[in-house]
């Protein structure tokens, strides 16, 4: 069974940090682009970051300089280290898997596998 399981969300004050984890199983991790998305109430799902196992990463302008993607390929995990969190970062955060290593930033419609999401709430 294909699974993507997010963890690490929570509630923090503005300026705080969280590290999210996306654990993949049931497919060949190295053959997919793994992306982080977020969706706030009343908003469309938006791309936050992307990662390919051949070393390509990218970030949405809104999080550049604050969020960093890393991975443990042996464990098939992708992490999102979030620093200096802002109230506007509040959302349900999802990871998604897309076959291949094309342009890194993936639109939600191109995601093949989704996780269930982990909530992040940043208070002011």
């Amino acid at each position: 069974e294909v699974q993507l399981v997010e963890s690490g969300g929570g509630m923090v004050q503005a300026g705080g940090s969280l590290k999210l984890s996306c654990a993949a199983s049931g497919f060949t991790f190295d053959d997919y682009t793994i992306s982080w998305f977020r969706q706030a109430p009343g908003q469309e799902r938006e791309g936050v970051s992307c990662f390919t196992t051949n070393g390509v990463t990218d970030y949405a302008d809104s999080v550049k300089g604050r969020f960093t993607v890393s991975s443990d390929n042996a464990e098939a995990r992708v992490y999102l280290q979030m620093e200096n969190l802002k109230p506007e970062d509040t959302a349900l955060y999802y990871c998604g898997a897309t076959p291949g290593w094309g342009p890194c930033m993936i639109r939600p419609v191109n995601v093949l596998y989704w996780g269930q999401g982990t909530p992040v709430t940043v208070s002011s």
Side-chain angles (χ1 to χ4, degrees):
E1 180 182 356
V2 170
Q3 287 191 324
L4 291 170
V5 180
E6 304 96 335
S7 61
M11 182 179 295
V12 298
Q13 293 184 333
S17 301
L18 286 172
K19 188 174 184 178
L20 307 184
S21 176
C22 174
S25 61
F27 63 97
T28 304
F29 181 76
D30 290 351
D31 293 339
Y32 287 75
T33 297
I34 307 298
S35 303
W36 285 99
F37 301 84
R38 65 187 183 187
Q39 188 165 19
Q43 303 294 320
E44 295 185 354
R45 192 167 297 186
E46 64 175 350
V48 173
S49 68
C50 57
F51 165 82
T52 70
T53 55
N54 66 332
V56 178
T57 62
D58 201 3
Y59 302 88
D61 287 344
S62 58
V63 306
K64 285 181 179 177
R66 299 189 296 120
F67 291 10
T68 304
V69 170
S70 62
S71 70
D72 183 338
N73 291 344
E75 296 289 335
R77 286 181 179 268
V78 173
Y79 302 94
L80 184 67
Q81 179 67 47
M82 305 187 295
E83 305 284 352
N84 191 25
L85 284 161
K86 303 175 180 180
E88 54 262 42
D89 295 318
T90 295
L92 190 62
Y93 282 71
Y94 300 88
C95 63
T98 301
W101 309 278
C104 188
M105 194 61 75
I106 301 296
R107 296 183 298 160
V109 295
N110 295 130
V111 171
L112 181 61
Y113 305 129
W114 287 103
Q116 295 293 304
T118 187
V120 171
T121 301
V122 184
S123 61
S124 60

